[in-house]
Amino acid sequence: MSSGTQVGIVGAGPAGLMLGHLLHLAGIDSVIVENRSREYVIDRVRAGVLEQGTVDLLCAMGVAGGLNRRGLRHEGVYINFDGCRHRVDMAELTSGKAITVYGQNEVVKDLIDARVETGRPLYFDAQEVSVDALDATRPVIRFSHAGTSHELSCDFVAGCDGFHGVCRPSIPAGVLQIYERLYPFGWLGILAEAAPSCDELVYTYHDRGFALFSMRSTDVTRLYLQVPPDEPIANWSDDAIWDEMLRRMTTSDGWSPNVGRILQKSVTAMRSFVAAPMRHARLFLAGDAAHIVPPTGAKGLNLAAADVVVLASALKEFYETGSDAMLDGYSSICLRRVWKAQRFSWWMTTLLHRLPDETPFDHQRHLADLDYLASSRAAMTSLAEQYVGLPWEISLESLHL
Ligand code: APR
Ligand code: PHB
């Protein structure tokens, strides 16, 4: 079956769904093609920290009903080392900005509901998805769905299909420069049926490795532990996980996470990755398809949001004025933010993890870094302004949402 649209979007993660909705609000047609099922996309457990700008965006897009009801606004964050929690007062240091804890899967669920309400096409369970003719005036997305083969011709293709998608590998060899760093550790993450024992996140540096206390709701705690990168989850009984969590996180004033039934557990490897430029001909990459950050600092979803705001603005300018100036600037505008987020995520990761090859000198310098952060208003301000999110490249007003 042949059909056409203005923007063909591959992937219904946060990037693809947000882009689709921004285009809808601008009166631009799109078709979203996703190779997983709706249930799989909604149930996938991911990070859950929204920058102030991402919250403002979702509100301006009119998709923040659930976020306003169930999102948890945090005005501070703790850095825990040497048995003490040190609070960074983000709101005070950034003139009132904060982060909001709201699971990425909740964001995705809300965006799917909004998409369905618009009546615009969203295909789940698409098979054999491919993109072709990227250099032509009408590139195509091919896929099959419920036994029918589709050929969708588009003005532009948005590659929002994550790190393992098909769009980035469809760009001819030699076009992209790849920048990559793997980390010699991973995160073992759990969801626990336990009320959070602290109102704010606690990032712990411990001699035995990093640990993170986070939450999903007033009844569910989310916790992470630094482990070797390829650690089999089978090595960790629930009791062993709790022993290690408590050992690393408990502070000398007696604070520790509440223990409860473990609802879900998994290990993820950590990497930093950038593919540049984020555009080839009529294909635009956005979100994890173009870049991955290690999860310390929770920038992944927020970077995806920042990319699609630039892309939606550029497409709106193109359709309204015929100018492709902003489309031409898309990659360089996005990459400035991407690299600052890469730098921040790398910095938080190396500051808070136990690095395997540290010499005694490195180790003492590392402890001094933490001590400096906890005792300097300048250092805490730098952390706070990046954690709540640097200003957007494009003002939300310019989108006229
Ligand atoms: N065809 C269609 N869809 C695909 C294909 C394909 N060949 N390959 C992957 N996808 C889908 C995935 O199933 C997923 O739903 O593309 C979507 C990509 O979504 P994400 O991986 O969530 O990436 P993105 O939307 O860029 O969001 C970035 O997600 O990975 C997290 O931590 C990251 O928070 C960040 C955010
Ligand atoms: C999470 O809640 O999943 C989370 C929070 C903060 C991070 C990473 C993940 O830095």
Side-chain angles (χ1 to χ4, degrees):
M1 197 172 96
S2 294
S3 57
T5 189
Q6 289 177 298
V7 183
I9 300 175
V10 186
L17 291 164
M18 276 192 260
L19 178 64
H21 203 69
L22 287 167
L23 295 178
H24 162 73
L25 295 171
I28 300 168
D29 290 338
S30 66
V31 174
I32 306 181
V33 181
E34 162 65 48
N35 67 350
R36 300 287 194 159
S37 69
R38 181 174 178 155
E39 297 67 40
Y40 180 92
V41 170
I42 290 175
D43 290 342
R44 202 163 28 190
V45 179
R46 292 270 179 84
V49 172
L50 306 184
E51 291 178 357
Q52 183 74 56
T54 307
V55 171
D56 296 344
L57 172 68
L58 294 169
C59 290
M61 286 166 68
V63 292
L67 171 62
N68 289 331
R69 277 193 304 279
R70 296 189 303 280
L72 305 169
R73 181 180 157 90
H74 289 192
E75 299 199 337
V77 62
Y78 288 93
I79 305 294
N80 177 18
F81 64 95
D82 221 6
C84 286
R85 275 182 300 164
H86 304 264
R87 184 165 187 270
V88 178
D89 189 336
M90 296 183 296
E92 200 252 326
L93 294 166
T94 63
S95 315
K97 292 188 185 157
I99 53 126
T100 298
V101 172
Y102 188 61
Q104 178 171 316
N105 51 329
E106 297 288 335
V107 174
V108 165
K109 186 169 167 296
D110 298 344
L111 287 164
I112 291 174
D113 290 347
R115 176 75 182 184
V116 170
E117 207 160 293
T118 65
R120 293 188 185 271
L122 163 54
Y123 292 93
F124 286 106
D125 298 303
Q127 288 166 340
E128 295 144 32
V129 181
S130 66
V131 293
D132 199 8
L134 300 173
D135 286 316
T137 36
R138 296 281 288 171
V140 295
I141 302 176
R142 292 197 186 86
F143 61 100
S144 60
H145 184 259
T148 306
S149 299
H150 291 255
E151 183 165 305
L152 176 70
S153 69
C154 319
D155 293 338
F156 301 101
V157 175
C160 301
D161 50 348
F163 185 66
H164 300 288
V166 289
C167 289
R168 194 182 64 249
S170 305
I171 295 175
V175 170
L176 294 179
Q177 168 108 33
I178 303 296
Y179 304 86
E180 191 166 25
R181 167 189 276 260
L182 295 171
Y183 295 84
F185 38 75
W187 278 11
L188 187 163
I190 62 166
L191 275 180
E193 202 174 44
S197 61
C198 174
D199 290 342
E200 294 172 343
L201 271 58
V202 184
Y203 286 87
T204 298
Y205 172 86
H206 189 276
D207 277 350
R208 297 175 64 85
F210 169 83
L212 170 60
F213 167 89
S214 178
M215 63 201 70
R216 282 295 173 272
S217 68
T218 47
D219 316 307
V220 176
T221 301
R222 175 89 172 135
L223 298 158
Y224 297 96
L225 276 182
Q226 173 182 352
V227 294
D230 44 7
E231 182 80 340
I233 190 69
N235 286 0
W236 289 81
S237 68
D238 291 3
D239 286 347
I241 293 174
W242 281 121
D243 277 354
E244 193 62 27
M245 292 282 180
L246 295 178
R247 209 156 159 182
R248 294 189 195 178
M249 286 192 226
T250 303
T251 52
S252 41
D253 63 3
W255 176 80
S256 63
N258 288 331
V259 174
R261 188 162 68 94
I262 296 183
L263 305 169
Q264 189 267 350
K265 55 181 173 181
S266 59
V267 174
T268 11
M270 319 237 307
R271 73 167 82 221
S272 303
F273 175 92
V274 179
M278 288 168 58
R279 172 196 187 171
H280 171 66
R282 290 183 170 257
L283 170 66
F284 292 81
L285 301 177
D288 278 17
H291 40 72
I292 296 279
V293 285
T296 335
K299 289 290 168 224
L301 166 63
N302 296 292
L303 267 188
D307 287 350
V308 298
V309 163
V310 179
L311 186 51
S313 266
L315 289 165
K316 187 166 144 66
E317 183 178 281
F318 174 81
Y319 285 112
E320 283 175 5
T321 69
S323 161
D324 45 20
M326 204 170 158
L327 286 172
D328 289 345
Y330 169 73
S331 176
S332 56
I333 295 172
C334 292
L335 285 169
R336 288 187 66 191
R337 184 181 193 83
V338 167
W339 277 111
K340 279 180 266 185
Q342 287 289 358
R343 192 204 69 79
F344 176 66
S345 307
W346 164 85
W347 173 77
M348 267 196 90
T349 302
T350 47
L351 179 74
L352 292 165
H353 288 72
R354 193 73 212 264
L355 307 172
D357 303 329
E358 266 186 0
T359 62
F361 176 89
D362 293 334
H363 187 54
Q364 293 305 318
R365 184 198 45 72
H366 194 161
L367 297 177
D369 273 344
L370 288 158
D371 193 11
Y372 173 62
L373 173 62
S375 56
S376 155
R377 187 176 168 89
M380 281 192 260
T381 306
S382 170
L383 167 66
E385 78 164 351
Q386 296 179 85
Y387 198 75
V388 299
L390 294 171
W392 292 80
E393 286 61 32
I394 303 284
S395 80
L396 283 185
E397 287 73 42
S398 71
L399 281 171
H400 302 291
L401 294 171

